[in-house]
Amino acid sequence: MENINETFTDFFLLGLFPPSRIGLFFFILSFLIFLMALFGNLSMIILILLDTHLHTPMYFLLSQLSLMDLNYISTIVPKMVSDYLLGNKSISFIGCGVQCFFFIALAGAEGLILVSMAYDRYVAICFPLHYPIRMSKRVCVLMIIGSWIMGSVNSCAHTAYVLHIPYCRSRAINHFFCDVPAMLTLACMDTWVYEYTVFVSITLFLVFPFIGIACSYGRVLLTICSMQSTEGRKKAYSTCSTHLTVVTFYYAPFAYTYLRPRSFRSPTEDKVLAVFYTILTPVLNPIIYSLRNKEVMGALRRVILRFCSVKMEQHSH
């Protein structure tokens, strides 16, 4: 009975910002980045929905990436902001489980969507004639559904474990969200077997996909080098460098954090690295994909012009 009482009490998130002027500066900066990420990703989703020129597999996948980023940053930052402003650092046991589930599900799904996007570019550039068959609407929908389902199934397993282990040390999680490795340090049982499953999970959802992405872009770059048209070469190179920037920013800190043994990790380092994949990546994705992309900028102009012309017509009537 005591064990149950021990398990179902609140946790405390120690947070990211120290209570000083520097802490306040970084808090304001993070909040502004959060608002930019919300605006950027929502704009991207709406733009892809409204402009028929963007109704292609590449942009459907991009809209899913924006949707995942939107949910992903919203799972973590609002709680972090309220903790800092209200000074209430507690999070309920169930609340921690919910945050844990969404974080792992969205992280896994995003990893798989990035692979789908790499495959899409690989087929488009290396096998342009096969593209309509290999990347049909059906294949695209299957990739999207598969990413969401696999991310969620993986997350269910991890969340169920984290909610079932007994916690009998301090309740203070030295992080700004309910991160599994940070929670494991509070467990009063040996968790090495579970840590091995985390390693397997990260390998399946991050390492293998990253190798796949690197190989596909390697092939793409070889194909680009042999292209005759300079314009085509420039466009393909621009798309690939954009994708690789996003992928590296997302995968590298994630893999470095979770694949290191516990003895090599420090809570401060983990928190700083987590900022990259929880706060910076969601804001960078829409910026990188839109500013480096003529099609997106063209779609934005078309939608704004269409909106303005509708307004003008309403005023004239």
mmCIF file of all heavy atoms in Angstrom, residues 76-101:
data_model
loop_
_atom_site.group_PDB
_atom_site.id
_atom_site.type_symbol
_atom_site.label_atom_id
_atom_site.label_comp_id
_atom_site.label_asym_id
_atom_site.label_seq_id
_atom_site.Cartn_x
_atom_site.Cartn_y
_atom_site.Cartn_z
ATOM 1 N N ILE A 76 5.507 20.985 -24.471
ATOM 2 C CA ILE A 76 6.562 21.295 -23.507
ATOM 3 C C ILE A 76 6.577 22.752 -23.052
ATOM 4 O O ILE A 76 6.598 23.034 -21.857
ATOM 5 C CB ILE A 76 7.934 20.898 -24.103
ATOM 6 C CG1 ILE A 76 8.011 19.375 -24.131
ATOM 7 C CG2 ILE A 76 9.096 21.454 -23.303
ATOM 8 C CD1 ILE A 76 8.913 18.797 -25.129
ATOM 9 N N VAL A 77 6.536 23.695 -23.997
ATOM 10 C CA VAL A 77 6.769 25.105 -23.638
ATOM 11 C C VAL A 77 5.668 25.729 -22.763
ATOM 12 O O VAL A 77 5.997 26.389 -21.776
ATOM 13 C CB VAL A 77 7.062 25.960 -24.894
ATOM 14 C CG1 VAL A 77 7.221 27.430 -24.539
ATOM 15 C CG2 VAL A 77 8.328 25.457 -25.584
ATOM 16 N N PRO A 78 4.352 25.540 -23.054
ATOM 17 C CA PRO A 78 3.350 26.176 -22.181
ATOM 18 C C PRO A 78 3.503 25.819 -20.695
ATOM 19 O O PRO A 78 3.386 26.692 -19.828
ATOM 20 C CB PRO A 78 2.021 25.663 -22.741
ATOM 21 C CG PRO A 78 2.316 25.390 -24.177
ATOM 22 C CD PRO A 78 3.717 24.866 -24.197
ATOM 23 N N LYS A 79 3.801 24.553 -20.397
ATOM 24 C CA LYS A 79 3.998 24.127 -19.001
ATOM 25 C C LYS A 79 5.230 24.811 -18.403
ATOM 26 O O LYS A 79 5.217 25.274 -17.268
ATOM 27 C CB LYS A 79 4.139 22.592 -18.952
ATOM 28 C CG LYS A 79 4.499 22.008 -17.598
ATOM 29 C CD LYS A 79 3.421 22.215 -16.557
ATOM 30 C CE LYS A 79 3.862 21.684 -15.203
ATOM 31 N NZ LYS A 79 3.202 22.381 -14.094
ATOM 32 N N MET A 80 6.295 24.878 -19.226
ATOM 33 C CA MET A 80 7.540 25.510 -18.780
ATOM 34 C C MET A 80 7.307 26.996 -18.480
ATOM 35 O O MET A 80 7.785 27.530 -17.485
ATOM 36 C CB MET A 80 8.577 25.344 -19.891
ATOM 37 C CG MET A 80 9.955 25.828 -19.559
ATOM 38 S SD MET A 80 11.097 25.397 -20.902
ATOM 39 C CE MET A 80 10.812 26.759 -22.014
ATOM 40 N N VAL A 81 6.514 27.661 -19.323
ATOM 41 C CA VAL A 81 6.208 29.086 -19.154
ATOM 42 C C VAL A 81 5.385 29.307 -17.884
ATOM 43 O O VAL A 81 5.696 30.181 -17.075
ATOM 44 C CB VAL A 81 5.445 29.634 -20.398
ATOM 45 C CG1 VAL A 81 4.843 31.007 -20.138
ATOM 46 C CG2 VAL A 81 6.384 29.691 -21.599
ATOM 47 N N SER A 82 4.345 28.476 -17.693
ATOM 48 C CA SER A 82 3.496 28.654 -16.500
ATOM 49 C C SER A 82 4.280 28.366 -15.218
ATOM 50 O O SER A 82 4.099 29.035 -14.212
ATOM 51 C CB SER A 82 2.244 27.782 -16.585
ATOM 52 O OG SER A 82 2.565 26.433 -16.387
ATOM 53 N N ASP A 83 5.188 27.373 -15.276
ATOM 54 C CA ASP A 83 6.030 27.073 -14.103
ATOM 55 C C ASP A 83 6.870 28.294 -13.720
ATOM 56 O O ASP A 83 7.003 28.629 -12.546
ATOM 57 C CB ASP A 83 6.986 25.900 -14.403
ATOM 58 C CG ASP A 83 6.260 24.559 -14.367
ATOM 59 O OD1 ASP A 83 5.058 24.552 -14.068
ATOM 60 O OD2 ASP A 83 6.900 23.523 -14.654
ATOM 61 N N TYR A 84 7.441 28.932 -14.746
ATOM 62 C CA TYR A 84 8.329 30.067 -14.488
ATOM 63 C C TYR A 84 7.546 31.275 -13.990
ATOM 64 O O TYR A 84 7.946 31.936 -13.034
ATOM 65 C CB TYR A 84 9.099 30.430 -15.761
ATOM 66 C CG TYR A 84 10.145 31.496 -15.544
ATOM 67 C CD1 TYR A 84 11.412 31.174 -15.062
ATOM 68 C CD2 TYR A 84 9.855 32.840 -15.803
ATOM 69 C CE1 TYR A 84 12.373 32.154 -14.853
ATOM 70 C CE2 TYR A 84 10.809 33.830 -15.600
ATOM 71 C CZ TYR A 84 12.063 33.480 -15.127
ATOM 72 O OH TYR A 84 13.009 34.449 -14.907
ATOM 73 N N LEU A 85 6.404 31.560 -14.618
ATOM 74 C CA LEU A 85 5.621 32.754 -14.265
ATOM 75 C C LEU A 85 4.916 32.618 -12.921
ATOM 76 O O LEU A 85 4.862 33.563 -12.144
ATOM 77 C CB LEU A 85 4.594 33.065 -15.353
ATOM 78 C CG LEU A 85 5.149 33.547 -16.700
ATOM 79 C CD1 LEU A 85 4.019 33.744 -17.689
ATOM 80 C CD2 LEU A 85 5.942 34.846 -16.548
ATOM 81 N N LEU A 86 4.355 31.424 -12.669
ATOM 82 C CA LEU A 86 3.573 31.231 -11.440
ATOM 83 C C LEU A 86 4.410 30.678 -10.289
ATOM 84 O O LEU A 86 3.960 30.642 -9.141
ATOM 85 C CB LEU A 86 2.389 30.292 -11.707
ATOM 86 C CG LEU A 86 1.445 30.705 -12.851
ATOM 87 C CD1 LEU A 86 0.417 29.632 -13.112
ATOM 88 C CD2 LEU A 86 0.771 32.033 -12.533
ATOM 89 N N GLY A 87 5.608 30.209 -10.606
ATOM 90 C CA GLY A 87 6.476 29.640 -9.575
ATOM 91 C C GLY A 87 5.991 28.285 -9.076
ATOM 92 O O GLY A 87 6.487 27.763 -8.090
ATOM 93 N N ASN A 88 4.983 27.715 -9.771
ATOM 94 C CA ASN A 88 4.462 26.405 -9.370
ATOM 95 C C ASN A 88 5.133 25.330 -10.229
ATOM 96 O O ASN A 88 4.771 25.129 -11.378
ATOM 97 C CB ASN A 88 2.940 26.391 -9.562
ATOM 98 C CG ASN A 88 2.363 24.997 -9.386
ATOM 99 O OD1 ASN A 88 2.907 24.175 -8.652
ATOM 100 N ND2 ASN A 88 1.266 24.714 -10.076
ATOM 101 N N LYS A 89 6.124 24.659 -9.663
ATOM 102 C CA LYS A 89 6.917 23.719 -10.451
ATOM 103 C C LYS A 89 6.356 22.292 -10.420
ATOM 104 O O LYS A 89 6.925 21.389 -11.016
ATOM 105 C CB LYS A 89 8.364 23.710 -9.954
ATOM 106 C CG LYS A 89 9.088 25.018 -10.261
ATOM 107 C CD LYS A 89 10.502 25.001 -9.731
ATOM 108 C CE LYS A 89 11.240 26.283 -10.018
ATOM 109 N NZ LYS A 89 11.588 26.491 -11.416
ATOM 110 N N SER A 90 5.256 22.083 -9.713
ATOM 111 C CA SER A 90 4.754 20.707 -9.588
ATOM 112 C C SER A 90 3.988 20.276 -10.842
ATOM 113 O O SER A 90 3.383 21.097 -11.536
ATOM 114 C CB SER A 90 3.863 20.575 -8.354
ATOM 115 O OG SER A 90 2.646 21.223 -8.584
ATOM 116 N N ILE A 91 4.060 18.990 -11.112
ATOM 117 C CA ILE A 91 3.285 18.393 -12.208
ATOM 118 C C ILE A 91 2.742 17.070 -11.685
ATOM 119 O O ILE A 91 3.464 16.307 -11.037
ATOM 120 C CB ILE A 91 4.142 18.212 -13.494
ATOM 121 C CG1 ILE A 91 3.283 17.638 -14.644
ATOM 122 C CG2 ILE A 91 5.379 17.352 -13.250
ATOM 123 C CD1 ILE A 91 3.943 17.718 -16.019
ATOM 124 N N SER A 92 1.454 16.831 -11.907
ATOM 125 C CA SER A 92 0.847 15.612 -11.356
ATOM 126 C C SER A 92 1.445 14.377 -12.010
ATOM 127 O O SER A 92 2.031 14.445 -13.104
ATOM 128 C CB SER A 92 -0.667 15.631 -11.578
ATOM 129 O OG SER A 92 -0.932 15.488 -12.965
ATOM 130 N N PHE A 93 1.295 13.247 -11.349
ATOM 131 C CA PHE A 93 1.826 11.970 -11.840
ATOM 132 C C PHE A 93 1.251 11.658 -13.221
ATOM 133 O O PHE A 93 1.981 11.316 -14.156
ATOM 134 C CB PHE A 93 1.451 10.869 -10.830
ATOM 135 C CG PHE A 93 2.046 9.533 -11.160
ATOM 136 C CD1 PHE A 93 3.386 9.278 -10.932
ATOM 137 C CD2 PHE A 93 1.261 8.523 -11.706
ATOM 138 C CE1 PHE A 93 3.939 8.046 -11.239
ATOM 139 C CE2 PHE A 93 1.801 7.290 -12.015
ATOM 140 C CZ PHE A 93 3.140 7.050 -11.780
ATOM 141 N N ILE A 94 -0.079 11.844 -13.366
ATOM 142 C CA ILE A 94 -0.742 11.582 -14.649
ATOM 143 C C ILE A 94 -0.316 12.624 -15.684
ATOM 144 O O ILE A 94 -0.064 12.300 -16.845
ATOM 145 C CB ILE A 94 -2.290 11.575 -14.475
ATOM 146 C CG1 ILE A 94 -2.721 10.431 -13.547
ATOM 147 C CG2 ILE A 94 -3.003 11.459 -15.831
ATOM 148 C CD1 ILE A 94 -2.354 9.024 -14.010
ATOM 149 N N GLY A 95 -0.204 13.888 -15.258
ATOM 150 C CA GLY A 95 0.233 14.967 -16.143
ATOM 151 C C GLY A 95 1.604 14.672 -16.730
ATOM 152 O O GLY A 95 1.857 14.902 -17.920
ATOM 153 N N CYS A 96 2.463 14.139 -15.878
ATOM 154 C CA CYS A 96 3.817 13.782 -16.306
ATOM 155 C C CYS A 96 3.749 12.652 -17.343
ATOM 156 O O CYS A 96 4.456 12.684 -18.354
ATOM 157 C CB CYS A 96 4.628 13.332 -15.093
ATOM 158 S SG CYS A 96 6.372 13.679 -15.250
ATOM 159 N N GLY A 97 2.865 11.679 -17.095
ATOM 160 C CA GLY A 97 2.689 10.558 -18.030
ATOM 161 C C GLY A 97 2.184 11.034 -19.387
ATOM 162 O O GLY A 97 2.675 10.594 -20.428
ATOM 163 N N VAL A 98 1.213 11.991 -19.365
ATOM 164 C CA VAL A 98 0.642 12.525 -20.615
ATOM 165 C C VAL A 98 1.723 13.270 -21.404
ATOM 166 O O VAL A 98 1.878 13.074 -22.614
ATOM 167 C CB VAL A 98 -0.566 13.468 -20.313
ATOM 168 C CG1 VAL A 98 -0.995 14.229 -21.548
ATOM 169 C CG2 VAL A 98 -1.733 12.649 -19.756
ATOM 170 N N GLN A 99 2.487 14.110 -20.695
ATOM 171 C CA GLN A 99 3.549 14.875 -21.360
ATOM 172 C C GLN A 99 4.605 13.937 -21.956
ATOM 173 O O GLN A 99 5.055 14.114 -23.088
ATOM 174 C CB GLN A 99 4.215 15.839 -20.366
ATOM 175 C CG GLN A 99 5.082 16.873 -21.067
ATOM 176 C CD GLN A 99 5.779 17.817 -20.110
ATOM 177 O OE1 GLN A 99 6.392 17.400 -19.130
ATOM 178 N NE2 GLN A 99 5.699 19.098 -20.385
ATOM 179 N N CYS A 100 4.928 12.925 -21.173
ATOM 180 C CA CYS A 100 5.894 11.906 -21.591
ATOM 181 C C CYS A 100 5.418 11.202 -22.875
ATOM 182 O O CYS A 100 6.179 11.048 -23.834
ATOM 183 C CB CYS A 100 5.991 10.883 -20.472
ATOM 184 S SG CYS A 100 7.578 10.155 -20.326
ATOM 185 N N PHE A 101 4.139 10.811 -22.881
ATOM 186 C CA PHE A 101 3.572 10.097 -24.034
ATOM 187 C C PHE A 101 3.645 10.951 -25.297
ATOM 188 O O PHE A 101 4.126 10.515 -26.339
ATOM 189 C CB PHE A 101 2.115 9.687 -23.768
ATOM 190 C CG PHE A 101 1.436 9.152 -25.009
ATOM 191 C CD1 PHE A 101 1.675 7.854 -25.436
ATOM 192 C CD2 PHE A 101 0.601 9.961 -25.776
ATOM 193 C CE1 PHE A 101 1.082 7.363 -26.602
ATOM 194 C CE2 PHE A 101 0.005 9.475 -26.936
ATOM 195 C CZ PHE A 101 0.249 8.170 -27.341
#
